Amino acid sequence: MNTILIGLQWGDEGKGKVIDILSKDAAFVVRYQGGNNAGHTVVVDGVSFVFHLMPSGILHPEKTCVIGNGVVVDPAVLLEEMQTIEKKGITMDGRLKVSEQAHVIFPYHRILDGLREKKRSNKIGTTGRGIGPCYADKAYRCGIRMGDLLNKRLLKEKLKDNLKEKNEIFKKVYRHRGFSFEELYEGYLAYGRRLKAFICDTSVLLNEATAAGRPILFEGAQGTFLDIDFGTYPFVTSSNSVSAGACTGTGVPPTKIDKVIGVVKAYTTRVGEGPFVTEFSKALNEDIRSKGNEFGATTGRPRRCGWFDAVMVRHAVQLNGVDSLAMMKLDVLDQLKSLKICVAYRYKGKIVKQFPNDLEFVKNAKPVYKEFSGWKTNVSKIRSYDKLPVQARDYISYIEDICQAPVHIVSVGSGREETLFR
């Protein structure tokens, strides 16, 4: 069975833990979009692993992990992550495959990312990792791909063309000195030599695996409302983080996808700029941020926190074709006397239940809430869904009804064992 696991909010939903759990039933675990702007945290036996490019399935022996063509790869970050993982006793042993068609992040992408953000009046909140500029080069058709790092002549030709244009932009627009061809050329040839054994045509690999009946788990990064098309544009990422991106980002056709699992927090979080209809008051924001350790795994930035937004999640369920939900961090809400779920937006006297694409609407909308009693009980030691307090089950049941998808997984802590299955 081929399964896509996708975030249904603004990322940081806890996908890493679910991927780690589901990896045991997969032969391949595949990243299909984004870059090292993503951060998946997995806790195993009290040890935290944070992955930025590496699929979380690498923690499971005998699983093949794939970085698909839809990902943008910073080779320095990938090599560093590989070394860190191996130092913790986890060996690659031919288990990592990187698409020869994945585009490569260069230092000029990272610098341009930061310089553009500085010039903007309305900040996007970029991570500054060069993700957007790299995807822009892909669309401009001047990008350099992982396979190009193995071809001296082609890399030289493409890099010279890029620097001829980019150094002019850096010097004349940003007053930046630009970049040395020789330094980048030799550095990236060296990356190619070190990564040669891992680079291949991953679309062929994955389609052959599908034909042989070997299950694939597609690992989404970011979340639905950071999607370049369907997110709260322009406060989004630079790739298609919805489930359809798994097909274009790997070369596996949509007819070969069997199941889509959507991951949500029991509340809502957002990193960076952009509208947030259900955001908490300052005091509650700080309280939940502290209890939920809501700081970005990639940047360390504090996450903004708010009530569960069913308007968003219902729309995300529809966009992604979600079959079931995994609800994370239920335990963070343990001590609240009451909880709220946003069921609609109010704007200019109108009540709207469908998520709007108008940025001004979303910025100025007020939430319409349904209130629930809290359970005031520590749920982190509970190991059966039926043993959850009735108030917690009522809360989950209402989310299932309003979002039109069943909750099959509930997380009550960061460890593997702190997971309830229905």
Side-chain angles (χ1 to χ4, degrees):
M1 176 177 284
N2 291 343
T3 302
I4 300 172
L5 190 115
I6 193 86
L8 300 186
Q9 294 159 314
W10 278 300
D12 306 312
E13 296 93 351
K15 297 181 292 295
K17 177 182 176 179
V18 185
I19 292 158
D20 175 61
I21 291 169
L22 298 181
S23 290
K24 69 181 188 301
D25 296 321
F28 292 79
V29 183
V30 186
R31 268 286 304 275
Y32 60 83
Q33 49 77 219
N36 59 301
N37 56 340
H40 289 169
T41 303
V42 180
V43 180
V44 181
D45 297 329
V47 179
S48 290
F49 296 83
V50 180
F51 301 104
H52 301 290
L53 276 170
M54 189 74 65
S56 306
I58 201 71
L59 296 177
H60 293 261
E62 301 178 5
K63 308 298 178 183
T64 301
C65 291
V66 177
I67 295 174
N69 59 275
V71 178
V72 290
V73 178
D74 188 325
V77 173
L78 178 58
L79 286 164
E80 182 182 358
E81 197 161 310
M82 289 166 66
Q83 289 172 352
T84 299
I85 291 169
E86 287 178 333
K87 283 178 182 176
K88 291 188 176 183
I90 298 164
T91 57
M92 300 294 115
D93 290 337
R95 295 194 297 126
L96 175 65
K97 305 295 180 183
V98 181
S99 172
E100 61 190 8
Q101 295 169 302
H103 281 247
V104 181
I105 295 173
F106 280 77
Y108 51 74
H109 292 128
R110 294 195 298 272
I111 298 299
L112 186 58
D113 208 358
L115 291 173
R116 279 180 175 164
E117 184 79 347
K118 283 180 183 177
K119 273 191 173 287
R120 296 183 69 105
S121 298
N122 298 312
K123 308 296 184 189
I124 295 297
T126 174
T127 60
R129 304 299 169 91
I131 310 300
C134 186
Y135 276 117
D137 276 2
K138 180 178 180 177
Y140 281 137
R141 292 161 293 179
C142 66
I144 296 173
R145 306 196 290 185
M146 289 299 291
D148 299 334
L149 303 186
L150 310 181
N151 184 325
K152 288 185 178 182
R153 183 196 59 77
L154 193 57
L155 177 60
K156 180 182 287 188
E157 180 184 306
K158 286 189 170 187
L159 186 56
K160 278 188 172 180
D161 272 354
N162 269 281
L163 290 181
K164 184 178 179 181
E165 177 193 26
K166 286 180 171 59
N167 278 341
E168 287 289 302
I169 293 171
F170 276 112
K171 290 170 185 175
K172 294 180 178 178
V173 177
Y174 297 104
R175 303 291 188 266
H176 186 282
R177 67 181 182 278
F179 294 86
S180 159
F181 166 78
E182 286 299 332
E183 187 177 331
L184 291 183
Y185 179 64
E186 293 300 330
Y188 276 72
L189 276 180
Y191 290 145
R193 287 191 292 271
R194 293 176 66 185
L195 291 168
K196 183 178 180 179
F198 304 97
I199 298 171
C200 66
D201 188 338
T202 55
S203 66
V204 171
L205 176 73
L206 293 172
N207 277 293
E208 286 179 348
T210 295
R214 304 188 71 194
I216 301 171
L217 177 61
F218 297 89
E219 174 179 336
Q222 288 89 39
T224 297
F225 288 92
L226 292 177
D227 183 272
I228 187 69
D229 288 306
F230 297 104
T232 48
Y233 190 91
F235 302 100
V236 294
T237 193
S238 306
S239 58
N240 286 117
S241 52
V242 292
S243 59
C247 297
T248 56
T250 63
V252 175
T255 52
K256 303 302 181 183
I257 303 301
D258 301 297
K259 188 176 184 180
V260 179
I261 298 173
V263 185
V264 296
K265 274 180 182 154
Y267 48 101
T268 309
T269 62
R270 169 162 215 172
V271 169
E273 307 300 324
F276 191 166
V277 177
T278 67
E279 190 164 10
F280 291 141
S281 64
K282 183 179 179 181
L284 187 54
N285 222 320
E286 290 176 355
D287 184 43
I288 296 298
R289 184 184 296 134
S290 175
K291 287 178 180 174
N293 192 28
E294 295 295 355
F295 298 90
T298 296
T299 63
R301 290 184 294 179
R303 296 171 185 147
R304 299 154 62 193
C305 304
W307 297 114
F308 188 91
D309 190 334
V311 179
M312 283 180 63
V313 175
R314 183 173 58 241
H315 187 53
V317 166
Q318 181 183 61
L319 282 174
N320 292 292
V322 169
D323 297 296
S324 66
L325 299 174
M327 180 177 287
M328 316 304 288
K329 294 196 171 184
L330 184 71
D331 55 300
V332 175
L333 304 179
D334 277 355
Q335 299 309 312
L336 296 179
K337 291 181 181 179
S338 63
L339 301 93
K340 297 176 183 178
I341 292 174
C342 177
V343 298
Y345 298 158
R346 180 182 286 110
Y347 180 62
K348 291 185 176 180
K350 293 183 179 179
I351 301 294
V352 176
K353 294 185 178 181
Q354 184 65 43
F355 191 84
N357 294 314
D358 185 330
L359 185 64
E360 185 177 308
F361 187 119
V362 185
K363 276 184 175 179
N364 295 293
K366 301 299 180 186
V368 177
Y369 287 122
K370 181 175 176 62
E371 196 158 340
F372 293 80
S373 297
W375 41 93
K376 299 285 288 179
T377 302
N378 182 350
V379 299
S380 64
K381 303 300 181 186
I382 293 173
R383 296 294 176 265
S384 168
Y385 182 83
D386 293 338
K387 295 292 173 40
L388 283 174
V390 65
Q391 296 92 335
R393 284 183 278 128
D394 287 346
Y395 181 75
I396 294 168
S397 179
Y398 186 82
I399 287 173
E400 290 181 309
D401 289 343
I402 194 169
C403 295
Q404 300 174 355
V407 175
H408 284 173
I409 297 172
V410 178
S411 176
V412 294
S414 57
R416 283 175 176 169
E417 71 284 358
E418 295 171 312
T419 312
L420 314 180
F421 298 92
R422 296 174 73 191

